[in-house]
Amino acid sequence: MDDLIRRVQAFADREGLWSAGDRVLAAVSGGADSVALAWILHHLARAKHAQLAGLVHLHHHIRGEAADADAAFVTALAERLGVPVHVGHADVPALARQARVSLEVAGRQARLAHFEDVRRAAEATVVAVAHTRSDQAETILLRLTRGAG
């Protein structure tokens, strides 16, 4: 685990993602990648590489009890890490119908809006999101926002 934490910090340093004084908010869905990110940021905060401002989660109201369980899990994880948790709710199916977009697009828009609202309220510098190499949509969005091809 120590090697992974060092690699994440080296990547963050190289890419200018955050610095020691930054307050980082971790976006956590409850999946393995975002939970790992939360733990890594917790360890980096303990080593004074950044401050973990808390966890942020959006309940999309798509998956019923499974989504309720995800929100409860993220809340328990934040408690275990000793950081605040910010769980928001969005009726993504209704948003998708209103905007005439897919559930994925409506969910992404709702997540980004919630993350930004919480980032401001928590006075966080950045919101860290985790994704796997197979999460192509997120990879493309990240590259577009950073100006890379």
Side-chain angles (χ1 to χ4, degrees):
M1 179 86 160
D2 288 340
D3 183 53
L4 176 60
I5 293 168
R6 279 192 296 278
R7 288 175 51 207
V8 169
Q9 184 58 46
F11 179 80
D13 289 344
R14 186 173 58 251
E15 298 296 323
L17 300 179
W18 63 73
S19 62
D22 285 334
R23 291 177 47 79
V24 181
L25 192 64
V28 181
S29 66
D33 52 353
S34 64
V35 171
L37 173 68
W39 277 105
I40 289 167
L41 288 171
H42 173 72
H43 285 284
L44 290 172
R46 289 177 57 197
K48 308 276 191 247
H49 289 288
Q51 298 173 38
L52 181 54
L55 308 185
V56 59
H57 175 82
L58 183 67
H59 189 309
H60 294 77
H61 292 275
I62 296 174
R63 297 176 24 254
E65 290 180 9
D68 296 340
D70 288 343
F73 175 80
V74 173
T75 299
L77 176 61
E79 200 171 292
R80 186 167 177 194
L81 296 176
V83 297
V85 64
H86 309 273
V87 176
H89 294 264
D91 185 346
V92 171
L95 293 171
R97 283 190 303 276
Q98 289 169 350
R100 296 178 185 228
V101 296
S102 69
L103 284 175
E104 284 185 10
V105 169
R108 185 177 308 112
Q109 291 170 345
R111 274 192 311 281
L112 293 175
H114 177 60
F115 293 171
E116 180 59 17
D117 289 346
V118 172
R119 186 198 63 76
R120 277 194 225 114
E123 298 180 346
T125 313
V126 297
V127 176
V129 297
H131 63 95
T132 62
R133 288 180 194 241
S134 62
D135 293 339
Q136 291 302 311
E138 296 287 342
T139 301
I140 290 167
L141 286 173
L142 286 170
R143 287 181 179 163
L144 286 173
T145 59
R146 288 182 24 209

